[in-house]
Every structure is written in structure tokens, then in C-alpha cells.
Amino acid sequence: PRLPLPDYMAERIFAEPLTAQDVILETLRGLAQSLGMLLSERGEGARRLEAVFFRADGKVRRMAVETAAPTRDADAIVRLFRERLDALVDPLDPGFGFDLIRLSAGRTQKSESIATELDADANAQKEIRYLIDRLAARFGPHRILAFRPNDTHIPEAAWTAQPAQYAEKSKIEWKRIRREKESPRRPLRFFAKAEPAAMLPSHLRWRSVARALAAREGPERIAMEWWRHQAPARDYYCAEDNEGRRYWLYRSASDLPQWFVQGLFA
């Protein structure tokens, strides 16, 4: 289908087709400056930008980048497209050259200057957002994640992983569950699904391997939310084997208790 033209767009037609990547990037810089002037008139910034390359033989190549915050910075936009070009599995083949390059803003957002306190480190936040944009341009937006807390005490649901470019600031604060100089009470690695295990007085059998235990502490009882889950409470333990590996496991507090390993400490 024929795609409608975006509201914000800048393009350049060339009498002689372009083939050099440096010239292409410099062209994108000029288009980004023109696009930034259009956005500035309406007080908006781009959140998603798309570059379209029209080859002399009729083929069209599209490339898009996204940003964590609205932007009109031409230099930052060009650097994101450079990252995107370097990460392409199928390199941008100019063939006989590009005779038209178009840059458009597919999604925009109000961009207002925010007053900050004298001791606020606004530059650090800006650098973090730009780092997120660069990593997302190279590896994909859904591979750069930000963790946000949930209002629940159930371990596997206590947080969510969201794409960092779209993650909003949470109204819920992270709860501190351990005292100072105390060893971690939650594992570094959570399994997507708790894995069944068997617990003996001095051994843990998990993944068909028996591991001799050197230490064990617990229990920490965590009850399920009765208004959401019809499941028994869990008694959590931290166990360490003779080789120094530490496991986070629990036993269901039911008539027929079962053991599960839910995570591993560092």
C-alpha cells in the first residue's frame, strides 16, 4: 500500500547519485537540522526517526532509530544512524548511488525545557539517555531493559523489565529488605520458572545431580496474595554446597510439600 507522508519531513534530491557513506551521513546531518527547525516551531522533539534511501535503480531502503527522550539535536541523530549502519547485518548497499534521501519524524512528543535545581546533575541524566539510545540502535530497543518495581512481595512478580526507551518513572520505590553489611537475601539470577528439586538432610538433588550441602539458613515464609493466587505459602531457604555455589530454594507449605530452586546467587 502507498504510505502517507509524515507530518515532519526533510529530503534532498541529488543530480549525481551518492555512494560514499561519509557524504550520506553528512547529508543526514543537514536533513536533521532542517527537521529540527520544523519541530522547534511547534515545541516538539522526535522520538522515532526514519531515513529512507532511494537508489538510482528504483530500490528503496528504510532505516529507523528511536530515542528515550524527544530530541532535535542533529549531531545526536547522526550518531544514532551511524550506530545503526554499523550494526546492520545486511550493509547499506548504494548500488549505483542514492539520488534521494528523506528523513522523517514518525513519532514526536512535546519538548519543553525543564527547570532543574542547582545541585541536579542534568548532564548525567542526558548522557544516560543517550547511552540507552546508542545501545538500542546497535542491539535493538527490546534488548536494552530497565527494571521497575511492582507493588507485591511475591519474588517473581516484584519487578518488571521494560524497554528502557519507553520505561516511565515508577511511583513505587524499591524496598530495602536487608540490613547494612548483610549478605544478599535475593539471588542475582532468577529462573523464568522455578525448577523442581529434592532436599535431603545433607544433599540437594537438582538437575539430576546430587550436591553436598555445607550450610543452610532459613526459613523465610512468603505468603501468596489470597485475592489473586490460590496457592500455599512458601518457605524460602538459602543453601550453599561444598564448592561454594549458593542456591535460593523454597518448599511449598502444603500437605504434600515440594522443593523448588528459584534462583542462584553470584
Side-chain angles (χ1 to χ4, degrees), residues 212-232:
L213 297 181
R216 182 173 62 179
E217 62 179 12
E220 176 191 357
R221 173 157 289 195
I222 297 179
M224 297 296 101
E225 297 168 343
W226 57 267
W227 59 94
R228 292 180 182 175
H229 306 278
Q230 298 296 327

Side-chain angles (χ1 to χ4, degrees), residues 11-14 17-18 52-56 97-102:
E11 62 182 21
R12 186 169 297 174
I13 302 174
F14 306 97
L18 299 182
V52 187
F53 304 91
F54 297 83
R55 277 189 4 183
F98 299 113
D99 53 12
L100 188 149
I101 297 178
R102 177 185 298 158

Side-chain angles (χ1 to χ4, degrees), residues 167-179:
E168 300 291 338
K169 187 176 181 179
S170 177
K171 297 180 180 179
I172 305 171
E173 298 293 334
W174 291 101
K175 295 180 180 179
R176 189 181 184 90
I177 62 174
R178 65 167 173 163
R179 296 182 292 272

Side-chain angles (χ1 to χ4, degrees), residues 192-228:
K193 185 178 180 181
E195 300 181 5
M199 177 65 76
L200 301 174
S202 59
H203 287 78
L204 168 67
R205 188 170 183 82
W206 172 56
R207 293 183 177 177
S208 302
V209 178
R211 297 168 169 84
L213 297 181
R216 182 173 62 179
E217 62 179 12
E220 176 191 357
R221 173 157 289 195
I222 297 179
M224 297 296 101
E225 297 168 343
W226 57 267
W227 59 94
R228 292 180 182 175

